[in-house]
Amino acid sequence: MHEISLCQAILQIIEEQSVLQNFVKVNRVNLEFGALAVVDEQALRFAFDVVKRDSIAEAADLHIIHLAAQAKCLLCMKMVNIKQRFDACPDCGSYELQVHTGDELRVKALEVE
Amino acid sequence: MCVACGCGSDKITIDGQQHAHDSHGHGSRSLQIEIDVLAKNNEYAKQNRDFFTQTATLVLNLVSSPGSGKTTLLTRTLNDLKSGLPMAVIEGDQQTANDAERISATGVPVVQINTGKGCHLDAHMISHAMEKLTIENNSVLFIENVGNLVCPAMFDLGETHKVAILSITEGEDKPIKYPDLFHAADLLLLNKLDLLPYLDFDVDQCIAYARQVNSNIEIIQVSATLGTGLNDWYAWLEKQKHKQAHDAFECTTVLSK
């Protein structure tokens, strides 16, 4: 359940931004979520609902933007889409894939007032 | 409550009209912030890593499931190498100081972190633990993470390498069941090899699975109780120590320029 820690980190980001950017309420958190992020989406949503209580994000919806994972095949040198770390290159079958994107867990935007 | 005008909510009306907040930026607005959720952890990890590089400390983050033999392997390593190598340990467990007591019996300095309900160590905990640990330059620092094959994969502590320990009592498909952790590790120690005659464990298949999730992972087969393969593990440690010393030298050279 490291999702609780991650949501506490999200809340910390929000609270720091509220001072910097002068807002008192968050309506929506847009979170970029890579296909390879070591995070369970349901656990993250549950944890967010717990962590946001009595905070400026209490009324906030968590909007998750799913990002695909891309890797470069070191054998055939193509950029390919993968769903999991142990996927093979769909073109040549090699497991020598260098992951380029898909690890993201990033607060992209906040809707605030 | 609005900090600009002090009104409580949109239910407040003035002359029957809803009070407009737009003039003082009161309406909903969108802020593009683009901040990694782990940014704070990664800042602490960078500070730790800079300190470790400057002091030529080789830091190994030992990750595994509970019961893989991490502490047995670690105490054996400490006893075998302590005469020629300065070492220290940070122990992570949810509860108890049992493992720290086992480590302490070797005479090597140790700090216990109890995470309470937490399922992993983070970089800030390591910064605090380092305040309590006096380590010589050119040491090896072992960080024994909380036994868990999931969460520790995500948290950079500032270590030089993650070392995964997998015992052959766990099943050969662990690397593909928990790919993130084996992907993040640079070395896999396949432990409890002495039990191989009693188990239905396919070593080659396990190695193939590990390479499937991480084509660069190095793999050493060991038995911490019998000592099998430990010389290969110590040779790997020695090689990494040399690299770390070299990096520290480069770092000092750059800083002095």
Side-chain angles (χ1 to χ4, degrees), chain A residues 89-106:
Chain A
C89 170
D91 263 39
C92 75
S94 167
Y95 288 110
E96 284 196 51
L97 298 180
Q98 193 174 59
V99 174
H100 277 229
T101 60
D103 284 325
E104 302 83 355
L105 191 68
R106 188 165 47 221

Side-chain angles (χ1 to χ4, degrees), chain B residues 93-106:
Chain B
D93 282 299
Q94 283 199 321
Q95 299 291 346
T96 85
N98 291 355
D99 282 359
E101 285 162 16
R102 286 171 68 188
I103 301 296
S104 196
T106 67

Side-chain angles (χ1 to χ4, degrees), chain B residues 144-155:
Chain B
E144 191 178 337
N145 216 314
V146 178
N148 179 342
L149 284 180
V150 184
C151 314
M154 205 171 177
F155 292 83

Side-chain angles (χ1 to χ4, degrees), chain A residues 69-97:
Chain A
Q70 279 211 316
K72 184 175 184 179
C73 175
L74 298 180
L75 200 66
C76 72
M77 305 306 278
K78 284 185 186 148
M79 283 297 279
V80 295
N81 285 328
I82 55 169
K83 291 203 167 91
Q84 293 148 129
R85 291 228 183 259
F86 50 84
D87 279 353
C89 170
D91 263 39
C92 75
S94 167
Y95 288 110
E96 284 196 51
L97 298 180

Side-chain angles (χ1 to χ4, degrees), chain B residues 15 17 36 43 47 52 59 73 88 98 179 183 187 192 221:
Chain B
D15 287 343
Q17 301 286 313
D36 276 344
E43 272 172 40
Q47 286 169 20
F52 295 140
V59 184
L73 181 73
N98 291 355
H183 181 80
L187 173 68
K192 304 193 187 178
Q221 300 177 39

Side-chain angles (χ1 to χ4, degrees), chain B residues 27-222:
Chain B
S28 185
R29 60 195 161 113
S30 181
L31 304 173
Q32 300 296 314
I33 62 169
E34 309 266 357
I35 299 176
D36 276 344
V37 172
L38 287 171
K40 258 294 186 279
N41 182 76
N42 294 342
E43 272 172 40
Y44 284 115
K46 185 183 178 304
Q47 286 169 20
N48 292 346
R49 185 166 285 116
D50 288 347
F51 172 76
F52 295 140
T53 305
Q54 284 159 24
T55 55
T57 310
L58 173 68
V59 184
L60 302 177
N61 179 2
L62 308 181
V63 287
S64 80
S65 45
S68 65
K70 267 199 310 294
T71 314
T72 303
L73 181 73
L74 187 52
T75 48
R76 172 91 191 224
T77 302
L78 299 174
N79 280 323
D80 286 353
L81 302 184
K82 66 186 175 190
S83 60
L85 186 63
M87 292 179 289
V89 176
I90 295 174
E91 265 296 327
D93 282 299
Q94 283 199 321
Q95 299 291 346
T96 85
N98 291 355
D99 282 359
E101 285 162 16
R102 286 171 68 188
I103 301 296
S104 196
T106 67
V108 170
V110 57
V111 172
Q112 174 82 49
I113 300 174
N114 283 126
T115 57
K117 304 288 182 209
C119 49
H120 59 271
L121 296 175
D122 66 36
H124 197 192
M125 293 177 195
I126 300 303
S127 316
H128 280 309
M130 289 305 296
E131 292 165 6
K132 297 193 173 172
L133 202 57
T134 311
I135 53 170
E136 298 173 37
N137 285 6
N138 297 299
S139 292
V140 178
L141 172 65
F142 296 97
I143 301 173
E144 191 178 337
N145 216 314
V146 178
N148 179 342
L149 284 180
V150 184
C151 314
M154 205 171 177
F155 292 83
D156 182 8
L157 305 181
E159 73 272 355
T160 324
H161 300 286
K162 282 191 176 73
V163 176
I165 297 154
L166 174 64
S167 74
I168 63 167
T169 52
E170 295 176 61
E172 61 264 325
D173 56 354
K174 279 288 187 298
I176 53 166
K177 277 185 172 167
Y178 300 93
D180 299 297
L181 191 120
F182 293 91
H183 181 80
D186 295 312
L187 173 68
L188 167 61
L189 293 172
L190 200 54
N191 193 21
K192 304 193 187 178
L193 216 67
D194 49 303
L195 299 178
L196 198 54
Y198 313 103
L199 298 167
D200 183 21
F201 184 92
D202 186 339
V203 172
D204 291 339
Q205 181 65 72
C206 181
I207 291 172
Y209 283 144
R211 295 250 154 83
Q212 192 176 329
V213 296
N214 182 349
S215 55
N216 294 320
I217 197 165
E218 292 187 67
I219 300 169
I220 301 174
Q221 300 177 39
V222 298

Side-chain angles (χ1 to χ4, degrees), chain A residues 8 30 38 40 50 57 61 63 71 76 92 96 103:
Chain A
Q8 284 166 338
N30 290 345
V38 191
D40 180 81
V50 172
D61 288 328
H63 176 66
C76 72
C92 75
E96 284 196 51
D103 284 325

